[in-house]
């Protein structure tokens, strides 16, 4: 086991959305009569993750629901998504209060999103010598995978049935080095955020382009200074080696089409997470928000308000015991 401490960073809106749809039929309400199925589902999954990973600190990123820097820049950002169920909106708005009451740490950055908190959490962990696990159902977090940060991508099956992605596993899935995932996403686009990709450069072509050319910076430099000659020769050589139809010239024409580079650069800017947010993590101050263990009575009172005794018992077990690394650091 590594003796480095571990930060668990959670994309709270992502988990709330998934649990709202998965658990809506339960109709669970808290002791005050308010909808609680999404809040309970999110909390239950995080308790299971804490039980599995034994983190030293837990941080929750939330979206600013009042204003969006990205939407101001691109009014069509996330356009086309269905209107949110009022019961989900209610639980999204109450999530921070629930988590803060427990003694966990929430960050809602002005005009930004939970994705930006994840990006900053990964950067903070590397700078401070910690390990980091990001928990989300959103592929955007793959851009932060590195030797110190892994992503637990929640899918159907919950915590235990979800893949934990490191650089090797990401490459096996997408054929992309972790450090190039953001460029891959910018080429491909993201329909869920209403960001079209570069026309003709999809999930099959983009990995070949990046693996053979190394980076989009190298691609644009070759186009600018060599009219794309190296790109065409490199891609065609790859195709010949693998018994594929040569596509170098076609790929070059798509990359040099009007608006192609601008589309890539725009997507890159929209998809890039902020890495300089103030998280408020103070690991050298015992009892500060986000650090485990938490106060027993506080956990019992806050989780008990959800009205699920089994979850309260789990919370008391995993939130009020010292993390696994505490014995290693003495």
């Amino acid at each position: 086991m590594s003796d480095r401490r571990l930060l668990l960073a959670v994309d709270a809106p992502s988990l709330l959305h998934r649990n709202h749809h998965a658990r809506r039929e339960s109709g669970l309400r808290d002791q005050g009569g308010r909808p609680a199925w999404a809040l309970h589902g999110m909390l239950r999954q995080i308790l299971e993750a804490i039980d599995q990973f034994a983190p030293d600190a837990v941080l929750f990123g939330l979206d600013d629901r009042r204003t969006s820097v990205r939407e101001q820049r691109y009014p069509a950002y996330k356009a086309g998504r269905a209107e949110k169920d009022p019961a989900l909106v209610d639980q999204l708005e109450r999530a921070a209060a629930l988590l803060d009451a427990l003694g966990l740490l929430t960050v809602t950055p002005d005009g930004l999103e939970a994705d930006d908190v994840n990006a900053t959490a990964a950067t903070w962990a590397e700078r401070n010598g910690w390990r980091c696990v990001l928990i989300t159902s959103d592929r955007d977090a793959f851009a932060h995978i590195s030797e110190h940060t892994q992503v637990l991508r929640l899918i159907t099956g919950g915590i235990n049935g979800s893949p934990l992605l490191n650089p090797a596993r990401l490459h096996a899935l997408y054929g992309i080095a972790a450090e190039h995932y953001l460029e891959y996403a910018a080429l491909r686009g993201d329909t869920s955020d209403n960001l079209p990709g570069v026309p003709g450069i999809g999930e099959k072509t983009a990995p070949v382009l990046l693996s053979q050319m190394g980076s989009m910076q190298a691609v644009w430099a070759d186009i600018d200074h060599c009219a794309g000659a190296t790109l065409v020769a490199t891609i065609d050589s790859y195709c010949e080696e693998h018994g594929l139809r040569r596509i170098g010239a076609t790929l070059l024409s798509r990359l040099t089409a009007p608006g192609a580079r601008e589309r890539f650069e725009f997507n890159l800017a929209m998809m890039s997470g902020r890495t300089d947010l103030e998280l408020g993590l103070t690991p050298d101050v015992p009892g500060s928000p986000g650090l485990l263990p938490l106060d027993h009575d506080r956990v019992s009172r806050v989780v008990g308000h959800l009205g699920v005794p089994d979850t309260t018992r789990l919370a008391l077990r995993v939130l009020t015991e010292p993390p696994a690394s505490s014995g290693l650091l003495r």
Side-chain angles (χ1 to χ4, degrees):
M1 178 185 295
S2 171
D3 62 358
R4 289 186 299 154
R5 288 185 284 183
L6 174 65
L7 171 64
L8 205 63
V10 183
D11 178 349
S14 172
L15 270 65
L16 286 164
H17 277 83
R18 286 191 67 83
N19 280 285
H20 170 69
H21 296 295
R23 299 171 183 260
R24 178 167 43 191
E25 291 185 1
S26 74
L28 178 70
R29 293 180 177 270
D30 63 23
Q31 292 184 347
R34 301 184 71 176
W37 54 85
L39 289 167
H40 172 258
M42 175 191 67
L43 182 61
R44 182 82 193 196
Q45 288 185 323
I46 295 310
L47 293 174
E48 292 170 358
I50 292 171
D51 197 25
Q52 175 178 331
F53 292 107
D56 299 87
V58 185
L59 166 70
F60 289 81
L62 293 152
D63 299 341
D64 184 346
R65 296 179 48 73
R66 302 164 303 162
T67 184
S68 167
V69 169
R70 291 179 176 90
E71 190 173 334
Q72 290 171 2
R73 180 175 182 183
Y74 177 49
Y77 183 59
K78 296 187 178 181
R81 293 190 179 187
E83 187 174 347
K84 291 184 177 65
D85 184 332
L88 171 59
V89 173
D90 179 69
Q91 293 174 85
L92 286 166
E93 292 177 346
R94 290 157 51 208
L98 170 69
L99 297 167
D100 290 340
L102 271 173
L104 297 169
L105 179 61
T106 64
V107 178
T108 307
D110 289 343
L112 298 172
E113 306 171 13
D115 291 340
D116 298 289
V117 180
N118 274 348
T120 297
T123 301
W124 183 95
E126 181 175 23
R127 186 171 61 243
N128 288 277
W130 286 43
R131 294 174 294 130
C132 184
V133 172
L134 307 178
I135 300 183
T136 181
S137 61
D138 196 331
R139 290 188 298 179
D140 290 348
F142 295 173
H144 314 310
I145 292 174
S146 69
E147 293 304 321
H148 72 276
T149 295
Q150 300 179 82
V151 171
L152 183 71
R153 189 191 181 201
L154 283 185
I155 57 176
T156 302
I159 294 293
N160 293 327
S162 297
L164 181 63
L165 301 178
N166 57 21
R169 290 172 182 161
L170 180 71
H171 191 275
L173 281 174
Y174 292 95
I176 292 294
E179 60 268 26
H180 296 147
Y181 184 82
L182 185 59
E183 292 185 319
Y184 162 78
L187 287 167
R188 180 201 62 204
D190 188 339
T191 54
S192 68
D193 287 343
N194 197 33
L195 292 170
V198 176
I201 312 292
E203 294 193 352
K204 293 182 178 179
T205 309
V208 173
L209 176 64
L210 290 167
S211 65
Q212 297 306 301
M213 292 299 292
S215 69
M216 286 307 295
Q217 183 178 2
V219 168
W220 302 129
D222 181 59
I223 289 173
D224 290 340
H225 301 292
C226 304
T230 303
L231 184 154
V232 172
T234 300
I235 298 300
D236 283 349
S237 175
Y238 169 88
C239 292
E240 289 178 6
E241 183 179 344
H242 290 80
L244 304 172
R245 179 175 57 86
R246 296 169 65 175
I247 60 169
T250 299
L251 193 52
L252 177 62
S253 69
R254 290 172 178 171
L255 289 166
T256 54
R261 188 184 303 202
E262 290 77 9
R263 168 53 56 186
F264 169 80
E265 297 291 351
F266 181 78
N267 284 351
L268 198 66
M270 293 289 289
M271 294 175 174
S272 294
R274 286 277 298 275
T275 60
D276 59 349
L277 302 180
E278 178 54 54
L279 298 180
L281 274 170
T282 53
D284 296 328
V285 181
S288 60
L291 299 187
L292 299 181
L294 303 180
D295 178 75
H296 183 282
D297 291 343
R298 193 171 182 177
V299 170
S300 179
R301 182 179 67 257
V302 174
V303 181
H305 186 67
L306 295 175
V308 185
D310 183 58
T311 298
T312 302
R313 287 190 291 270
L314 177 62
L316 288 169
R317 179 170 67 80
V318 304
L319 294 178
T320 64
E321 296 293 327
S325 71
S326 61
L328 299 172
L329 296 171
R330 291 193 184 99

